[in-house]
Amino acid sequence: MPINGTPEQWFAWLTSTNQRHRHKAKLILGSLTPADVVDIQVLIHALTSENDEVIFWATVALGCLGAQATQAIPMLISVTHHPAFGHRQAAIKSLSQIGPNEMAAKAAIIAALQDASPFVRRQALEAMIGMQNIDADDLECIRALQADPDSAVVAWIEIALRNIGLQ
């Protein structure tokens, strides 16, 4: 089924005052699939926007597109340093969806295990489940979170290690 509009239009709708258009843009950006043909460069450029909502939804959209968005990995890694934890969380998820075999994506996810936000640390643990080429050092980075003050992070350590072991 064809997608209504273009990436440029989606971001225009997203930043408009029309609530119906804003909602429509979010639905489109959040429901893209790897089968959709989208101008990746427009989404990558949106990651440099001054508008945090544009950055967030571009991050989500790139993740939804999966491997076809591999060229976005360096820019998504920069989003893992964004001041808003939700942006960092979305970037971690997108990196795991786009580059499960990419060493740079894995390194950014491993680094996020030390993020100040427990939400980002938990997302990094979940993301590690889908990453390939997990080695002993990576597993040690996960285990090092056993003393994490957040109980959800500690619970996700077991979930991540169990699921990584099942691969």
Side-chain angles (χ1 to χ4, degrees), residues 4-167:
N4 185 7
T6 66
E8 292 90 352
Q9 289 173 315
W10 305 334
F11 292 120
W13 297 339
L14 184 65
T15 57
S16 79
T17 57
N18 183 315
Q19 290 303 316
R20 239 183 53 220
H21 284 167
R22 291 171 55 81
H23 181 70
K24 182 179 187 177
K26 291 174 186 179
L27 288 175
I28 291 169
L29 290 161
S31 65
L32 293 173
T33 71
D36 291 323
V37 178
V38 175
D39 186 348
I40 301 294
Q41 290 304 316
V42 174
L43 297 176
I44 293 171
H45 180 70
L47 296 175
T48 66
S49 174
E50 295 293 320
N51 184 309
D52 280 348
E53 197 166 18
V54 168
I55 296 168
F56 178 82
W57 284 103
T59 300
V60 169
L62 286 161
C64 291
L65 293 171
Q68 71 170 296
T70 302
Q71 59 192 332
I73 288 174
M75 287 298 296
L76 286 169
I77 290 171
S78 72
V79 177
T80 66
H81 303 288
H82 192 279
F85 80 86
H87 287 59
R88 298 193 307 273
Q89 200 173 0
I92 294 301
K93 180 174 183 177
S94 292
L95 285 168
S96 70
Q97 293 170 303
I98 294 167
N101 293 312
E102 298 289 330
M103 294 304 289
K106 184 175 86 167
I109 293 168
I110 291 288
L113 292 171
Q114 301 302 314
D115 194 275
S117 169
F119 298 107
V120 177
R121 294 193 304 274
R122 192 212 48 83
Q123 185 65 58
L125 287 164
E126 184 177 345
M128 286 301 293
I129 294 169
M131 298 307 289
Q132 304 298 313
N133 304 316
I134 303 285
D135 60 28
D137 289 339
D138 301 330
L139 294 173
E140 190 53 40
C141 289
I142 292 171
R143 287 186 188 103
L145 290 174
Q146 288 291 352
D148 197 279
D150 188 86
S151 61
V153 171
V154 174
W156 266 93
I157 294 167
E158 181 182 341
I159 294 166
L161 290 172
R162 185 177 330 122
N163 281 279
I164 290 168
L166 294 174
Q167 293 179 16

